[in-house]
Amino acid sequence: MNPIDVPLRWIDDETPAYLPAGATLGAPLPRGVVTDLSALAVVDEAGDRVQAQLWPLATWPDGSVKWTGIGLGAAVDPAAGYRLVDRPVGSVPGGDAAVRVEERAEAVLLDTGAMRVTVPTSGSAVVSEIAIAGVVVGTDGRLISSVQQCPEPNHASRDVGTGEVESVTVEQTGPVRAVVRVEGRHRTESGKTWLPFTIRLVATAGSTHLRVVHSFTWDGDVEKDFLSSLGLSFEVPLRAEAHDRHVRLAGAGGGLLREAVRGLTGLRRDPGESVRQAQLRGEATAPPSTWQQDVARLSRWIPTWEAWRLRQHAANGFTVHKRTDATRPWIGVTEGTRSDGVGYVGDPGGGLGLGLTGFWQSHPTGIDIDRATGAAARLTLWLWSPDAEPMDLRFYHDGLGQDTYADQLDALDITYEDYEPGFGDAHGIARTHELEVIAYPGTPSLEGLAADVAHVVQPPRLAVTPEALHAARVLGDWDLPDHSTPARARLERRLAGLLDFYVGQVDQRSWYGFWNYGDLMHAYDADRHTWRYDVGGYAWDNSELSPDLWLWTAFCRTGRADVFRLAERLTRHTGDVDVYHAGQWKGLGTRHNVQHWGCSAKQLRISSPAYRRHHYLLTADEHSRDLMLELRDSDQTFLALDPVRKVRPDAATYRPERGALGVGLGTDWSALAATWLADWEITGNERSRVRLLGTMSDIGAMPHGFFTGEGLYNLDTGRFDATRDRVGASHLSIMFGLVEICSELVDLVSDEQAPGFRDAWLQYCRLYLGTPEEQVAELGREHDGAPFEQAHSRILAYAANRLGRDDLADRAWQAFFVGGERMQGEITWERIEPPAVMSPVDDAPTLWTNDAAQGSLATMQCLALIGHRLPAE
């Protein structure tokens, strides 16, 4: 058996100058090899062991570890690369450095060796104390909010709330990485309890950075609850005189505003250059008795500034103001474009920094520093600025009289919007933010703080190399980029061009904002030269036709950092905002719309774990794991809401019943299968294993397998009626993860465990684009699914690969290229106006994100499966 040797790389291809908060990632392991992770170790490029923490992310059916999480501690000089190996040599240097966790009845204590954090088990504080070198630098860390009953700004009517802790769970105890999960709800002064939240506090050995992953669910009434502020706030003890109290605010592109509560620069009299420079550097100034030109005596006439306020209410503009006290006006300090989103307050004896990744992109945001003249300042990072317009989540139109299914389908034919009264409700959607709290023993140097700001803006990322991922044969059918022939090179350029285009569109089109950041638009309006942001079902994409899978597969094969970050933002958004986590549609996602929650098509195809699994396995992200596992009972949703209620052919007779629920074998079952697989491999849940294997067997036993189209599902037994004899197919069936999940299941599950499943899937792949005569011969009739040749070329390629049939491979390439001249000419991006998506084949612009996603997936999978039969130019 080959030794385990998995190379890990920095995705930006640059070694970070230092690693203040460690690094976390996931790595695949071969089947049946590793049952004890203590046999593995991480080594640097020289082969020396480094301290690392390993834990299982997923297991193979035989119980061996399938994916391992890897945690590295803080490092002042990280290596250029690492390897996960099973035959380490030597011991870990500095092996005593560890994060320690102490669980008490009233609190959980985290000690990284450089910082001590106290997490209360109840009350209004999420973090009650942060200390560094024995000095308390932060207290009373709490979530704060406010809500009002009208959409217009009205500070006087706001009902102020605080996050109340309901439970605290220690999820990891070190030695390198400790994780504490805090759950609770906001309680307002009027007694309203709402906005359930989950916070994960991640502490790393040797680090003074506390990572805060904050997720909340919006569970209000859209007609009367208008969230007017949401933030995280800490008190920061101050011990120095006013002139030695320092404020820092991050501006744009690494710039920093440096100020003091009482400034000693720019005065009519000069205390001396050493005094001025010490204040600017954040150091203690010399004793006032040594100051020059009588400045010490006159300093009582210098105003002290009590508060600073930074507001980022749009992606391209922020302002900074300050004031001397609450009864005085705000004075303008500066303006800029895109703040890096970090604030600091402290003195030479200690201080605290607070930052938000994606600060300007998630506007309206803000940073407050208040009470800087008192015994303790308050540092607040606003996730929703209190000076912005209140959050208004009402549906964007009045329904236009669409009271019947007939009218709704008629309207869909013009705006592509699937409207239904009461369905455009945001109750149950969520949002996740990633923050950092940084403890300092004193006001940091300009260079040190700038490095920490850069870390908040873009934390360094380790990942398994594309070559190692490919060798592990994980996460779909794909191969590495190959430019060895002109034909391959041309398709590779098309793939890269599409990625470049979408990476650039985010900023060019300003796809930013609290609820929008991370998503892509669905379709382009060439007449107005803009994406169709205001046209029904053509606006936000909401995972339509799997852009998530496209981007993650593209990252796996290329290792591109910009693609990773685009995919990660998309995963964060679609998993939180486009899915319901509470309320009547819990577990369902929402189809594409002007508002992410607007469409009445609430379906599992959008909430599918297939779109979160890459992120979890590649990064070991706990929140993505939560999003998948919360769906384990999502088969129950078919009892509450029929996803095809408006177009069901048997609508006159069909009634959702526990013993016979209509479940599509494409978009519906693929989401259920992805859910059950994720639950099985992560937790070992027997119910999910049984339902996955059982429904696979049932599909294999059906007279027409996947061409049955819809199965009758028994909610109590978790099985399909295997005798159902009908023929039907939909072009959408393969486009929401079915291809990827079936390919994995065929390799994962034996024929004995799911008899007939492999053959049923191969039949579907081989016959969907078959001739009418071939379909009639096997099915008794044509299946009536729309061809969508290029998208379906990838399943024909799969059949060709698995059956070893070059005739099917040639037919798959013919389907791939159908409808255009074969690889004619180069893309000339400069001559395209407006900038439009280019299809993987045709030079004419294709203006649909789903075409880009499916075309790219088809390209990558056909190259991987039948690249040897790619026609020459």
Side-chain angles (χ1 to χ4, degrees):
M1 185 173 295
N2 294 328
I4 292 173
D5 192 342
V6 182
L8 315 176
R9 60 179 281 268
W10 300 106
I11 66 172
D12 291 290
D13 293 322
E14 295 181 359
T15 305
Y18 85 131
L19 202 60
T24 306
L25 71 154
L29 296 170
R31 187 171 188 167
V33 174
V34 178
T35 56
D36 181 5
L37 288 172
S38 65
L40 305 182
V42 176
V43 299
D44 62 20
E45 71 271 32
D48 296 326
R49 293 184 66 173
V50 299
Q51 190 173 21
Q53 180 175 321
L54 306 179
W55 65 98
L57 299 178
T59 57
W60 293 100
D62 63 6
S64 61
V65 180
K66 184 177 184 180
W67 285 81
T68 179
I70 304 173
L72 302 182
V76 295
D77 187 21
Y82 299 90
R83 295 177 7 250
L84 177 67
V85 299
D86 63 348
R87 298 177 185 178
V89 177
S91 59
V92 179
D96 293 335
V99 59
R100 293 176 171 82
V101 179
E102 182 182 346
E103 296 187 63
R104 300 176 179 175
E106 73 281 3
V108 174
L109 305 181
L110 305 174
D111 191 340
T112 70
M115 172 182 67
R116 187 176 174 88
V117 179
T118 304
V119 184
T121 54
S122 63
S124 59
V126 175
V127 174
S128 61
E129 185 177 280
I130 298 176
I132 183 169
V135 177
V136 175
V137 296
T139 64
D140 194 30
R142 61 173 62 196
L143 292 171
I144 54 178
S145 63
S146 63
V147 62
Q148 59 185 59
Q149 302 299 304
C150 63
E152 296 77 24
N154 188 344
H155 287 260
S157 69
R158 292 184 175 179
D159 191 7
V160 176
T162 301
E164 296 289 335
V165 174
E166 297 175 350
S167 69
V168 174
T169 305
V170 176
E171 294 185 329
Q172 287 192 354
T173 59
V176 173
R177 184 175 188 264
V179 181
V180 177
R181 176 185 176 119
V182 181
E183 295 178 281
R185 297 174 184 271
H186 287 250
R187 182 180 297 277
T188 70
E189 293 175 344
S190 71
K192 180 182 180 66
T193 300
W194 73 319
L195 300 182
F197 64 84
T198 297
I199 283 182
R200 278 193 171 86
L201 303 171
V202 183
T204 306
S207 177
T208 58
H209 290 233
L210 181 68
R211 184 166 180 252
V212 180
V213 182
H214 166 265
S215 302
F216 82 99
T217 300
W218 195 90
D219 62 344
D221 182 334
V222 297
E223 297 296 332
K224 65 180 183 180
D225 291 325
F226 300 90
L227 186 67
S228 47
S229 68
L230 179 66
L232 176 64
S233 183
F234 283 84
E235 286 205 350
V236 183
L238 297 173
R239 301 165 179 86
E241 296 296 325
H243 56 267
D244 280 341
R245 299 182 177 193
H246 309 119
V247 168
R248 304 288 186 262
L249 292 171
L256 287 167
L257 175 71
R258 296 181 291 168
E259 297 213 337
V261 172
R262 174 178 280 137
L264 297 176
T265 64
L267 301 173
R268 188 174 186 183
R269 298 196 179 209
D270 184 4
E273 183 177 1
S274 63
V275 174
R276 288 184 282 107
Q277 291 304 314
Q279 188 178 71
L280 286 174
R281 289 193 300 266
E283 300 170 356
T285 58
S289 61
T290 67
W291 295 355
Q292 300 173 16
Q293 298 186 15
D294 203 24
V295 172
R297 182 184 67 82
L298 294 171
S299 63
R300 64 194 178 104
W301 304 116
I302 304 172
T304 54
W305 297 92
E306 180 265 348
W308 281 256
R309 180 177 70 184
L310 184 152
R311 294 292 181 265
Q312 182 90 47
H313 286 182
N316 292 300
F318 72 85
T319 60
V320 179
H321 292 79
K322 66 180 183 181
R323 68 183 181 187
T324 56
D325 68 57
T327 66
R328 300 294 137 187
W330 290 99
I331 303 300
V333 176
T334 190
E335 297 181 2
T337 53
R338 295 171 167 179
S339 168
D340 287 334
V342 177
Y344 165 86
V345 62
D347 58 36
L352 200 68
L354 184 55
L356 170 65
T357 301
F359 179 83
W360 59 264
Q361 298 95 326
S362 302
H363 65 81
T365 48
I367 300 173
D368 281 357
I369 296 170
D370 296 300
R371 305 205 301 264
T373 56
R378 180 157 284 277
L379 174 62
T380 303
L381 200 148
W382 294 108
L383 307 176
W384 187 277
S385 166
D387 298 310
E389 293 184 2
M391 187 184 293
D392 189 349
L393 303 184
R394 294 174 295 176
F395 190 66
Y396 77 102
H397 67 69
D398 65 2
L400 308 173
Q402 300 177 54
D403 297 324
T404 66
Y405 284 175
D407 285 343
Q408 292 157 25
L409 293 172
D410 195 40
L412 185 144
D413 200 35
I414 184 66
T415 65
Y416 203 31
E417 179 173 80
D418 189 354
Y419 173 83
E420 190 169 341
F423 275 68
D425 191 349
H427 183 104
I429 66 172
R431 179 67 157 90
T432 293
H433 296 85
E434 298 178 59
L435 305 95
E436 280 190 32
V437 183
I438 311 171
Y440 293 99
T443 298
S445 67
L446 182 63
E447 296 77 14
L449 183 56
D452 284 336
V453 170
H455 184 272
V456 170
V457 171
Q458 187 169 287
R461 283 283 193 177
L462 271 177
V464 176
T465 65
E467 293 78 9
L469 287 173
H470 182 252
R473 297 180 57 83
V474 294
L475 300 175
D477 297 307
W478 52 271
D479 63 359
L480 299 170
D482 181 356
H483 296 77
S484 60
T485 69
R488 275 185 172 270
R490 194 176 299 275
L491 290 181
E492 292 289 357
R493 287 195 295 273
R494 297 297 176 94
L495 288 171
L498 281 165
L499 294 171
D500 293 342
F501 178 79
Y502 274 89
V503 167
Q505 281 295 283
V506 174
D507 197 50
Q508 182 177 344
R509 304 296 177 177
S510 199
W511 291 341
Y512 301 124
F514 188 96
W515 291 113
N516 298 332
Y517 183 45
D519 206 356
L520 309 172
M521 280 281 173
H522 184 69
Y524 196 82
D525 184 340
D527 292 321
R528 289 188 292 170
H529 300 324
T530 187
W531 292 83
R532 305 183 206 179
Y533 67 93
D534 59 350
V535 184
Y538 292 118
W540 293 111
D541 191 68
N542 287 34
S543 293
E544 182 70 3
L545 272 60
S546 304
D548 319 61
L549 294 177
W550 160 39
L551 295 176
W552 281 119
T553 304
F555 169 72
C556 286
R557 71 190 299 268
T558 67
R560 285 178 52 169
D562 56 351
V563 174
F564 173 90
R565 294 189 172 99
L566 183 62
E568 182 173 53
R569 293 194 300 264
L570 184 63
T571 297
R572 283 276 188 243
H573 170 89
T574 59
D576 282 331
V577 182
D578 299 346
V579 175
Y580 288 97
H581 310 271
Q584 60 180 326
W585 298 308
K586 181 179 179 181
L588 297 175
T590 300
R591 175 182 171 270
H592 39 101
N593 192 261
V594 171
Q595 292 169 295
H596 301 283
W597 52 88
C599 185
S600 72
K602 313 295 187 185
Q603 298 182 358
L604 289 181
R605 74 185 200 189
I606 306 301
S607 59
S608 172
Y611 300 144
R612 327 291 167 229
R613 194 158 165 259
H614 286 73
H615 187 243
Y616 168 63
L617 295 175
L618 292 169
T619 71
D621 183 79
E622 289 90 356
H623 181 62
S624 286
R625 180 189 65 197
D626 288 350
L627 295 179
M628 294 189 292
L629 297 185
E630 75 179 13
L631 295 170
R632 59 164 52 103
D633 296 322
S634 56
D635 53 356
Q636 303 281 339
T637 63
F638 289 94
L639 192 62
L641 186 67
D642 180 11
V644 293
R645 61 195 177 280
K646 297 183 185 181
V647 294
R648 177 175 286 283
D650 57 350
T653 58
Y654 175 77
R655 296 293 180 273
E657 297 176 355
R658 294 188 65 87
L661 292 170
V663 173
L665 301 185
T667 59
D668 294 337
W669 182 80
S670 66
L672 289 173
T675 300
W676 293 327
L677 175 60
D679 193 25
W680 178 22
E681 68 181 3
I682 295 171
T683 72
N685 189 315
E686 181 66 10
R687 176 185 183 275
S688 291
R689 185 192 71 84
V690 168
R691 295 195 173 220
L692 176 62
L693 299 182
T695 53
M696 290 173 65
S697 300
D698 295 336
I699 292 172
M702 290 177 184
H704 302 297
F706 278 97
F707 282 111
T708 307
E710 180 189 72
L712 293 178
Y713 178 73
N714 187 308
L715 196 57
D716 295 319
T717 65
R719 301 296 295 266
F720 283 123
D721 176 1
T723 66
R724 195 173 200 200
D725 189 357
R726 68 188 293 273
V727 173
S730 168
H731 65 283
L732 293 177
S733 291
I734 70 161
M735 298 185 187
F736 291 83
L738 182 68
V739 174
E740 290 74 14
I741 194 68
C742 285
S743 176
E744 183 165 357
L745 290 175
V746 165
D747 292 337
L748 186 72
V749 176
S750 68
D751 290 338
E752 290 74 22
Q753 290 174 302
F757 180 82
R758 176 182 182 275
D759 292 339
W761 177 237
L762 282 171
Q763 180 196 43
Y764 192 82
C765 293
R766 174 177 51 80
L767 199 58
Y768 188 92
L769 290 180
T771 65
E773 293 76 16
E774 290 170 334
Q775 294 177 26
V776 171
E778 290 195 44
L779 304 176
R781 49 162 289 191
E782 294 180 49
H783 60 63
D784 293 337
F788 279 72
E789 289 90 349
Q790 188 176 86
H792 286 86
S793 67
R794 60 193 182 120
I795 62 172
L796 189 53
Y798 179 88
N801 176 277
R802 292 305 177 102
L803 297 172
R805 289 180 53 180
D806 284 347
D807 62 318
L808 294 182
D810 294 341
R811 187 188 292 185
W813 280 121
Q814 182 181 10
F816 179 88
F817 288 116
V818 75
E821 294 296 323
R822 184 180 307 172
M823 294 180 291
Q824 290 294 310
E826 294 282 348
I827 294 177
T828 304
W829 294 97
E830 294 80 4
R831 65 181 170 83
I832 300 168
E833 182 59 39
V837 183
M838 299 301 293
S839 76
V841 177
D842 303 325
D843 280 341
T846 173
L847 305 173
W848 299 72
T849 295
N850 53 9
D851 281 353
Q854 285 296 308
S856 294
L857 285 167
T859 305
M860 293 184 287
Q861 290 166 5
C862 284
L863 285 173
L865 295 167
I866 55 171
H868 67 290
R869 301 294 293 183
L870 174 64
E873 290 188 79

